[in-house]
């Protein structure tokens, strides 16, 4: 939930880790781009963490730089083999499927927003600015409509 809006699709039920809800998905659930932009990074070699003492540092993910130059990260996603860095994608583009790579208690989708700046250090600039150009939230059913 963000500002009272449920941004997930295909939600099953929240599971709480401390006081934070983690939404679980069915493995293989398709993930689509919320905005048009350029694929800035792809990570697809992280396995599921079976031993918390020996987890891979990062999860599989797709990173999109939108027209507003902010970055949107879709983590715990097995990227589609058709995606390439530098490729322009429209909103609604199939990005991949939900997995449970990296440090995770199960299949889930983590969406992060990061401020403008150098593509090599996007992860150092998390932001709470969720205004994505061309996207408006729909409160009914928690779906996003471009």
């Amino acid at each position: 939930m963000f500002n009272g809006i449920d941004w997930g699709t295909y939600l099953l039920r929240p599971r709480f880790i401390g006081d934070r809800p983690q939404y679980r998905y069915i493995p293989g659930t398709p993930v689509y781009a919320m905005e048009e932009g350029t694929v800035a990074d792809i990570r697809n070699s992280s396995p599921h963490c079976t031993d918390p003492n020996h987890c891979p540092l990062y999860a599989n993910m797709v990173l999109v730089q939108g027209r507003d130059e902010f970055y949107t990260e879709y983590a715990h996603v097995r990227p589609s083999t058709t995606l390439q860095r530098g490729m322009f994608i429209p909103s609604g583009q199939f990005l991949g499927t939900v997995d449970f790579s990296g440090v995770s208690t199960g299949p889930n989708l983590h969406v992060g927003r990061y401020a403008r700046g150098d593509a090599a250090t996007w992860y150092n600039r998390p932001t709470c600015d969720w205004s994505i150009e061309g996207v408006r939230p729909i409160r009914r059913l928690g779906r996003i409509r471009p």
Side-chain angles (χ1 to χ4, degrees), residues 69-129:
E69 297 182 12
F70 278 64
Y71 294 88
T72 303
E73 174 194 28
Y74 301 83
H76 306 289
V77 171
R78 170 77 50 201
S80 168
T81 57
T82 62
L83 293 180
Q84 299 175 21
R85 279 190 188 108
M87 174 183 191
F88 175 82
I89 58 166
S91 63
Q93 169 75 40
F94 174 68
L95 297 177
T97 57
V98 170
D99 70 7
F100 50 101
S101 56
V103 180
S104 174
T105 59
N108 71 92
L109 173 62
H110 170 95
V111 178
R113 287 282 284 171
Y114 299 85
R116 300 174 181 94
D118 179 37
T121 59
W122 60 269
Y123 49 85
N124 287 330
R125 296 183 308 278
T127 181
C128 291
D129 183 350

Side-chain angles (χ1 to χ4, degrees), residues 9 16 18 32 34 40 43-44 54 60-61 64 67 77 83 90-91 93 97-98 119 136 140:
T9 59
F16 285 84
Y32 300 93
M34 293 187 287
R43 189 178 307 119
N44 61 9
H54 299 94
N60 294 326
M61 66 93 183
V64 176
R67 291 171 60 182
V77 171
L83 293 180
S91 63
Q93 169 75 40
T97 57
V98 170
R136 61 187 176 91
R140 186 176 99 272

